[in-house]
Amino acid sequence: MYNDVKLEKGMYNLSGKSFTAALEELDPSSAYIGTELENLDAFERQLKRYNIKVCGAECDRVEKFFSSTDTAVLFPEYVARCISKGFDDKIITEITAVRTVSESGQYLGCTMDDSAAYTTTAQAQALPAATVKESTTATVLEKFGRLINASYESVRKQRLDVFGVMLRSVGVKLAAAVAKKAVAVLVQDAASISASALTYASLAELYGAFDCFDMTTVIVNPAIASKIAAMDQLKETRADANGRIVLPFGSELVKTSAVANNTVIGIDKNFALEFITSSGLVMETDKLIDRQLDQITVSITCGFRKLTPDAVKKITIS
């Protein structure tokens, strides 16, 4: 049971396992199906065990994590989850079809030549072929990161929910930086429609440029997003519960400063882009556990690869 788990610093350094994965092996969530704890994962059960409240009216302060050596071990995972939530809530998850973990700093995926026409084939004749082969160009992964200066004395009395919001904001900005790389990969060699000005008609033309694939997502910078939102055709459009705007032809509008002022990108997010990482967010955990909070480092090493060129189109505004 979760009350009997022995927490150790070494659980952060197990090869190929996250801290939560290590906890789950010792305290499987499957054992709690049908109980009041079935909606909690192994880490959240440890918070309950030590009565650490990370939100709500009775939210604890940062120093609650350091009330014992056991609870101190939980603090890096709390920090990582806050930053990860900010990172995962943003554009990366909205525009990528698949996430791949690479064991090295270079990733060699596969490509598919599927240019032959899909037509009928006469009896005894060979079927048109699609050829899958190893890519001749490797995707080089790059590191994105942040160093956060925060001494223990400066944060020990801060409420965990307030501190968590600050950490999530780091994740949001880190995701925005990574998104610039994603956008650069999407626009490279993408089929382009020329337009003298951005109009609803040009957006509809972009929508019509998709044949086999759907335009599930339109990616623009904030200035262009505001112009689209102000179009007469969107007067009756309302944002959904998550604040996202869906265009009349069903495409979700995503804004990021990574897109140029003269570009509108349309994609089928189910086919367009592969997100490659060597790991998840990486932090130096020992210093956090030992209350040496002068510097919190967080980084991610990643890259992007276009999977299906036909699932990406763009408007270039002259």
Side-chain angles (χ1 to χ4, degrees), residues 12 23 32 42 110 114 127 137 149 155 161 164 204 247 263-264 278 294:
Y12 285 100
L23 274 179
Y32 298 89
C110 60
D114 194 21
L127 292 170
T137 305
N149 293 311
V155 301
D161 51 2
L247 303 181
T263 303
V264 176
S278 60
D294 293 333

Side-chain angles (χ1 to χ4, degrees), residues 7-9 11-13 17-24 41-47 54 65-66 70-85 160 163 167 281 283-286 288-289 296:
L7 300 174
E8 298 176 343
K9 291 164 64 171
M11 296 170 71
Y12 285 100
N13 301 315
K17 293 181 184 177
S18 65
F19 179 76
T20 296
L23 274 179
E24 286 286 349
D41 65 21
F43 173 72
E44 292 166 335
R45 288 192 291 275
Q46 291 303 311
L47 295 181
V54 298
F65 273 106
F66 299 98
D70 283 339
T71 53
V73 173
L74 298 172
F75 187 62
E77 177 67 8
Y78 168 75
V79 172
R81 287 190 175 212
C82 289
I83 297 176
S84 293
K85 180 172 175 53
L160 284 167
F163 189 54
L167 294 173
L281 290 172
M283 294 195 325
E284 188 174 350
T285 58
D286 285 352
L288 296 184
I289 295 171
I296 300 173

Side-chain angles (χ1 to χ4, degrees), residues 49-62:
R49 172 186 181 182
Y50 292 104
N51 196 30
I52 300 175
K53 300 180 178 65
V54 298
C55 61
E58 299 180 358
C59 178
D60 286 312
R61 302 184 186 277
V62 171

Side-chain angles (χ1 to χ4, degrees), residues 25-181:
E25 285 193 357
L26 299 172
D27 179 37
S29 291
S30 58
Y32 298 89
I33 296 175
T35 73
E36 62 178 10
L37 302 179
E38 69 174 338
N39 294 322
L40 303 180
D41 65 21
F43 173 72
E44 292 166 335
R45 288 192 291 275
Q46 291 303 311
L47 295 181
K48 179 177 178 60
R49 172 186 181 182
Y50 292 104
N51 196 30
I52 300 175
K53 300 180 178 65
V54 298
C55 61
E58 299 180 358
C59 178
D60 286 312
R61 302 184 186 277
V62 171
E63 62 185 358
K64 182 66 175 287
F65 273 106
F66 299 98
S67 57
S68 71
T69 55
D70 283 339
T71 53
V73 173
L74 298 172
F75 187 62
E77 177 67 8
Y78 168 75
V79 172
R81 287 190 175 212
C82 289
I83 297 176
S84 293
K85 180 172 175 53
F87 188 92
D88 292 339
D89 280 352
K90 293 306 290 179
I91 185 175
I92 303 302
T93 55
E94 296 173 356
I95 66 173
T96 52
V98 63
R99 182 169 182 162
T100 300
V101 177
S102 172
E103 295 181 353
S104 68
Q106 294 190 7
Y107 173 71
L108 200 61
C110 60
T111 60
M112 182 168 66
D113 180 358
D114 194 21
S115 57
Y118 278 76
T119 60
T120 58
T121 303
Q123 187 174 356
Q125 297 298 309
L127 292 170
T131 304
V132 177
K133 56 185 178 180
E134 189 175 63
S135 176
T136 57
T137 305
T139 300
V140 178
L141 308 189
E142 299 175 297
K143 179 181 284 189
F144 299 82
R146 199 69 169 173
L147 185 151
I148 306 168
N149 293 311
S151 69
Y152 176 66
E153 290 304 319
S154 68
V155 301
R156 60 186 292 262
K157 292 295 185 182
Q158 296 299 317
R159 284 171 53 106
L160 284 167
D161 51 2
V162 174
F163 189 54
V165 169
M166 294 178 181
L167 294 173
R168 287 202 302 276
S169 73
V170 172
V172 168
K173 293 178 181 178
L174 188 59
V178 173
K180 292 182 180 180
K181 184 66 177 180

